[in-house]
Structure formats: structure tokens, C-alpha cells
Amino acid sequence: MSDLPNCPACGSAFSYEDGELYICPECAHEWAKDAAAKSGETTRVFKDAYGNVLADGDTITVIKDLKIKGSSSVVKVGTKVKNIRLVDGDHDIDCKIDGIGAMKLKSEFVKKA
């Protein structure tokens, strides 16, 4: 695995070197090598299934029926979830769904409302 920095704009791990620049092939963002060395802290960008950037407190809509592990319940398509919280990990959204309770969701199964 390469030790190149992730893209500061979209968080992609597929950046590459081109002379004195790093380039992201996914969003076409370019940044200087010395800028990457100065910024030791990188922030992760969370995106929904359609590429919209998510933030804490957003309202999202579920785009696929999601089975709840260990239960016979299902989170239906179109379920609105208010006041989400973004966290690092496998499931990157913490939220409370009415009638179900606290849940962890993946951002790839939601869209920003």
C-alpha cells in the first residue's frame, strides 16, 4: 500500500504524484506536496449514495429496505431520519429512527433530504 496522503477535498485514497503535486483522480483536486506535509490532520468527508456531502445534524432518507440484524423488523425505503451524527467506523451514521430506536447506518444506503 502506498504512503501517499488521502485527498483533502473528498477523502479518496487513490491520490497520485505528478511532479510537485498530488492529484486525486476521483474529484480532480490538486494540492502541493509541501501543503500535505504541513497539514498533519486530515478530515474525512462523508457522502451519501448520490455523492452529496453529509454533516452532523442533517436529515436523510433511506433508499433501500434495510433488515435489522437480530430482529424481524425492517427499515423501509423512504424512512426519514433527522439529526444524524457522523462517526468513524464501518457504519458511519449514528441516529435514532422513530419506532425502532438507536441505529447505525452506512452512508451508501441513504440520501440527503
Side-chain angles (χ1 to χ4, degrees):
M1 190 88 202
S2 70
D3 56 340
L4 297 175
N6 291 348
C7 175
C10 71
S12 172
F14 300 111
S15 61
Y16 62 91
E17 292 180 69
D18 185 22
E20 292 297 315
L21 295 174
Y22 289 122
I23 300 174
C24 176
E26 293 185 14
C27 69
H29 180 71
E30 298 179 355
W31 68 102
K33 287 184 180 179
D34 59 349
K38 290 178 186 174
S39 66
E41 183 179 319
T42 59
T43 58
R44 183 169 172 209
V45 176
F46 296 93
K47 294 185 178 186
D48 68 0
Y50 300 105
N52 299 319
V53 177
L54 297 172
D56 286 338
D58 280 348
T59 299
I60 57 172
T61 304
V62 178
I63 63 168
K64 177 182 176 184
D65 281 346
L66 302 173
K67 295 179 184 177
I68 299 173
K69 191 173 185 177
S71 173
S72 61
S73 300
V74 175
V75 178
K76 293 286 190 178
V77 170
T79 302
K80 273 198 171 181
V81 181
K82 298 178 183 176
N83 220 6
I84 65 169
R85 186 171 52 127
L86 300 172
V87 295
D88 285 329
D90 185 33
H91 294 75
D92 38 21
I93 298 173
D94 277 347
C95 60
K96 286 185 181 177
I97 300 177
D98 293 336
I100 296 174
M103 293 279 302
K104 292 186 176 203
L105 300 173
K106 290 187 176 186
S107 58
E108 62 195 54
F109 299 121
V110 300
K111 71 176 181 178
K112 193 171 183 176

